[in-house]
Amino acid sequence: MRAVVVERLGPPDVLRVRQVPAPEPGPGELLIEVAAAGVNFPDLLVIEGSYQNIPALPFTPGKEVAGVVAALGTGTAGFAVGQRVLAQLEHGGYAERVVVPAVHAAPIPDGMSDHEAAAFGLPYLTAYFALLRRAAVRAGETVLVTGVGGAVGNAAVQLAVALGARVIAVGRTERRCVRARELGAHEAIPADPHRLRDRVRELTGGRGADVVIESVGGPVFDAVLRATAWEGRIVTLGFAGGTIPSVKAGYLLVKNIALVGLQASDYRDREPATQRRALDELLALYQEGAFTLPTTAYGFDDAPRALRALRDGGLDSRLVLVR
Ligand SMILES: NC(=O)c1ccc[n+]([C@@H]2O[C@H](COP(=O)([O-])OP(=O)(O)OC[C@H]3O[C@@H](n4cnc5c(N)ncnc54)[C@H](OP(=O)(O)O)[C@@H]3O)[C@@H](O)[C@H]2O)c1
């Protein structure tokens, strides 16, 4: 089968399309004929070798796919050959076929395209575990979301709105702010570290944000720390701006703030049944019309171009790879 392969770590240009052996499903596993593979920011980190978990070379990147079940291992009750599924994996998605534990897959609901299904799991599961598991958000609370326009930021805005929160989106550009309002954000403000705290205070009657979903890092993180309410919860889940912040712990102490981390894929590996329940809840919300996720498809041969576009930012749609 054909797959996009990393033979040496580096920028997107290191990606090559190669013939590789097709995988076979073992007990508890599904073989999926991949229709589309989601392209995510963490893939860039894996390909360049700066991610926390780098596979042995050569490897195929790609953390999520959508497709059709082509074969079943034993003990995969609930799935059938020919069924449309989406699945989360650590790597290997940029290929014509993948094998995944059945517990990491879920049926694709009616009305969801293969491209949407391939781009859905990682950002919406990340938003889900950030908002519900790590921050325990409650309806009526104010949620500040940074990195809107991006995959996780947009998912967090839409999910927080669906959960009944009041959402303040933080966008790098005015275009990002306009889009965030279209996605349901109640307010959208620029990611200006010098003005952010005052703007959030103005919008919250001086209180600050109850929950912060933070994926940018650097000076944006420092600013949102100062914009957080008494007993607020900050979930740090990424550093898309390129700088890992250091925390002035005094801010946490004086305002009883909880700063918590998130690595969403841990739930796939440590609590697969929890992840499956989360996916089912998210897919039900999708069917109710809670989420919009436009996509753009690139062929395998164009994988370097897709990843360069993701690295350069400013995208209006989620990217998927098709064979
Ligand atoms: N912890 C987890 O489990 C987990 C899961 C998924 C992703 N992540 C991480 O979360 C981060 C975001 O992922 P993603 O998939 O949403 O990436 P993405 O789609 O590329 O979005 C990144 C967003 O950050 C914005 N941004 C970048 N630099 C900025 C800056 N200096 N100031 C303000 N905004 C800035 C971008 O703005 P533009 O739209 O203008 O380009 C974009 O909206 C990445 O670091 C990723 O590795 C973590």
Side-chain angles (χ1 to χ4, degrees), residues 165-182:
R166 176 174 181 238
V167 177
I168 304 175
V170 181
R172 176 146 63 167
T173 59
E174 178 53 25
R175 192 163 64 86
R176 288 313 197 202
C177 292
V178 170
R179 181 67 183 140
R181 287 190 201 96
E182 287 169 4

Side-chain angles (χ1 to χ4, degrees), residues 41 122 126 147-148 150-152 172 176 216 237 239-241 262-264 313-314:
F41 193 96
L122 197 138
T126 302
V148 297
V152 175
R172 176 146 63 167
R176 288 313 197 202
V216 172
L237 62 85
F239 315 110
L262 172 70
Q263 176 154 272

Side-chain angles (χ1 to χ4, degrees), residues 36 50 56 114 123 163 168 210 252 260 310:
S50 64
D114 290 337
L163 295 170
I168 304 175
D210 301 304
L252 307 180
V260 296
L310 183 67

